[in-house]
Amino acid sequence: MTEPEFRATGVRIGKRLRSLTRAGQVRINDGRLELLTSYGSEIDSAPIRAVRASRPWFAPDDRALADVNGTRYLLTLGEHDPAPGAPGPPAARRFIEAVRRAAGRRG
């Protein structure tokens, strides 16, 4: 199995006002985005070209939106990248960049 292009653990994943998991995982691997619970079961996944990632308006810097299969998920990642070797999710900005890079989009 190849190394994921992006991986974040400890991510809060929500749908509308409902929290689906407080310590989930987000992975981009082999051209697919996967949203997983803390136990590794799949919440949702889709080919990366069908995923839209953005920053929500008027929200803290640690949040990102991901539209997957017509469902909008609110991801709470980190405000800043953790120090090397330190636990914690990467910044939301890195997630958005990783989705765009994997899909071959710019900007």
Side-chain angles (χ1 to χ4, degrees), residues 9 15 21 23 28 31 33 38 47 49-50 54 74 79 82 89 93 102:
T9 58
K15 185 165 115 180
T21 183
I28 298 175
L33 172 74
S38 56
R49 292 199 176 270
S54 62
L74 178 63
E79 242 180 271
R93 172 187 44 77

Side-chain angles (χ1 to χ4, degrees), residues 3-89:
E3 185 68 26
E5 298 166 33
F6 178 85
R7 182 169 183 220
T9 58
V11 178
R12 172 174 261 160
I13 301 172
K15 185 165 115 180
R16 299 199 183 237
L17 297 176
R18 194 171 127 225
S19 177
L20 300 175
T21 183
R22 287 196 231 166
Q25 301 174 42
V26 177
R27 288 192 307 207
I28 298 175
N29 194 18
D30 293 330
R32 288 190 72 77
L33 172 74
E34 299 172 329
L35 303 177
L36 307 168
T37 67
S38 56
Y39 299 110
S41 49
E42 187 175 293
I43 295 171
D44 207 346
S45 71
I48 198 70
R49 292 199 176 270
V51 174
R52 283 190 21 218
S54 62
R55 281 213 359 88
W57 288 13
F58 306 110
D61 287 340
D62 64 346
R63 307 256 166 88
L65 291 173
D67 290 326
V68 182
N69 295 324
T71 303
R72 180 169 288 175
Y73 295 96
L74 178 63
L75 310 176
T76 304
L77 293 112
E79 242 180 271
H80 305 288
D81 287 328

